[in-house]
Amino acid sequence: MTVNDLIEKLDLEVLNLAEGDREITGGYVGDLLSWVMGKAESGDMWVTIMTNVNVVAVASLVDVACVVIADKAEITPDVIEKARAQGINLLRSAKSAYRLCNEQILL
Amino acid sequence: MSEPIRFHFDVDGDNFSSAGEASVQVKRMLRQIGIPAEVIRRVSVAMYEGEINMVIHADGGNADVVVEPGKIIIILADRGPGIADIELAMTEGYSTAPENVRSLGFGAGMGLPNMKRYTDDMKIESVVGEGTTVTMTVLF
Ligand SMILES: Nc1ncnc2c1ncn2[C@@H]1O[C@H](COP(=O)(O)OP(=O)(O)O)[C@@H](O)[C@H]1O
Ligand SMILES: [Mg+2]
């Protein structure tokens, strides 16, 4: 499944789309950045409610396929700008992390 | 690639938002010179954790990266407060990070353990009141 598929099927809000064709090969949920760096894998859909600018750096270093902000957590324009600059797929939804994962796994 | 390639960065101590800039830049440069993706990930995550530590715990410092054939060395040096008990600091979950840092998703006490796990060798030299130097080596 690609990031484009995910956006369409889960009806996600697109904050930045850098590489819609990127294949999603797994997933990880977490807000503590060291845990994400220790456990998430390249190609994952990373679901989080963290929205500060460090999320973009972690997403880049871990090489996740996309970041999905759950629960429509508030995000500032500078973070979206950073995602654009670093080529990170940044998406958002009003759904909870639980529901997002449930829906993704059923695709 | 026989001559070592060296990168040097000053890590700003009071800018939390730009913390990680050096690691992201290193990632980009390693990709340009054709280092395997899995190696880049290990190097850049280990370096990022170290960089963040210098920002949170030591008011900044310096980062040096040396790329040799089959080997990448990361040296992070600061003039912060030092680490009194390195074994304790290495314990998963141990953190002295303040609340404002925790609210950003840091301070889980998993940084040093991650750095050790992602590298083939990690050495911490620290003198209380003088500073800390972390040297990490990734083989590939
Ligand atoms: N460069 C440093 N200078 C001083 N103390 C440090 C440094 N790096 C780590 N520490 C100490 O080691 C502890 C554990 O570090 P770490 O595992 O990265 O967890 P965290 O950064 O989440 O607190 C820190 O809370 C801090 O007390
Ligand atoms: Mg840390």
Side-chain angles (χ1 to χ4, degrees):
Chain A
M1 177 200 347
T2 66
V3 171
N4 280 331
D5 297 334
L6 186 81
I7 293 167
E8 191 198 317
K9 301 264 169 54
L10 268 60
D11 192 22
L12 302 175
E13 176 188 356
V14 176
L15 300 175
N16 185 58
L17 189 59
E19 194 189 353
D21 292 337
R22 179 80 192 265
E23 196 67 24
I24 298 170
T25 51
Y28 189 78
V29 182
D31 306 315
L32 298 180
L33 301 181
S34 286
W35 279 84
V36 177
M37 285 187 279
K39 304 274 184 188
E41 288 174 15
S42 175
D44 277 356
M45 154 178 112
W46 172 23
V47 184
T48 183
I49 52 163
M50 274 291 162
T51 58
N52 65 73
V53 74
N54 304 98
V55 165
V56 176
V58 170
S60 166
L61 298 175
V62 176
D63 192 34
V64 294
C66 61
V67 181
V68 185
I69 309 293
D71 293 316
K72 212 168 183 16
E74 205 65 54
I75 187 162
T76 53
D78 59 308
V79 179
I80 297 170
E81 187 43 52
K82 194 89 173 182
R84 193 164 296 137
Q86 294 193 6
I88 300 299
N89 292 320
L90 185 62
L91 314 166
R92 189 165 69 159
S93 173
K95 294 166 187 165
S96 70
Y98 173 78
R99 270 197 61 194
L100 287 166
C101 294
N102 246 317
E103 291 184 13
Q104 192 271 341
I105 228 157
L106 292 173
L107 288 183
Chain B
M1 192 180 76
S2 48
E3 278 292 293
I5 303 171
R6 293 166 194 278
F7 306 114
H8 176 85
F9 303 91
D10 291 324
V11 177
D12 193 351
D14 45 42
N15 191 344
F16 221 94
S17 305
S18 71
E21 222 103 286
S23 312
V24 171
Q25 242 172 290
V26 163
K27 180 193 157 163
R28 198 168 300 137
M29 293 188 287
L30 293 180
R31 191 189 277 162
Q32 271 167 20
I33 57 177
I35 303 293
E38 192 46 41
V39 175
I40 296 178
R41 180 196 149 106
R42 290 167 60 207
V43 167
S44 57
V45 167
M47 180 171 169
Y48 183 70
E49 289 281 15
E51 207 187 322
I52 291 291
N53 277 354
M54 292 200 295
V55 175
I56 301 176
H57 307 295
D59 199 27
N62 291 296
D64 287 279
V65 179
V66 183
V67 185
E68 294 177 14
K71 185 182 189 177
I72 297 173
I73 304 161
I74 308 149
I75 304 157
L76 303 163
D78 67 60
R79 301 195 149 275
I83 304 173
D85 186 339
I86 291 172
E87 202 181 322
L88 180 63
M90 286 294 303
T91 310
E92 289 192 4
Y94 175 81
S95 175
T96 60
E99 187 49 42
N100 65 320
V101 166
R102 287 173 195 265
S103 69
L104 293 173
F106 293 109
M110 293 297 289
L112 292 173
N114 272 351
M115 288 154 73
K116 183 160 182 64
R117 206 157 59 80
Y118 277 130
T119 58
D120 293 290
D121 185 66
M122 176 164 106
K123 189 174 69 185
I124 303 176
E125 294 158 291
S126 191
V127 178
V128 172
E130 286 185 19
T132 302
T133 300
V134 181
T135 306
M136 296 178 281
T137 306
V138 173
L139 304 173
F140 63 97

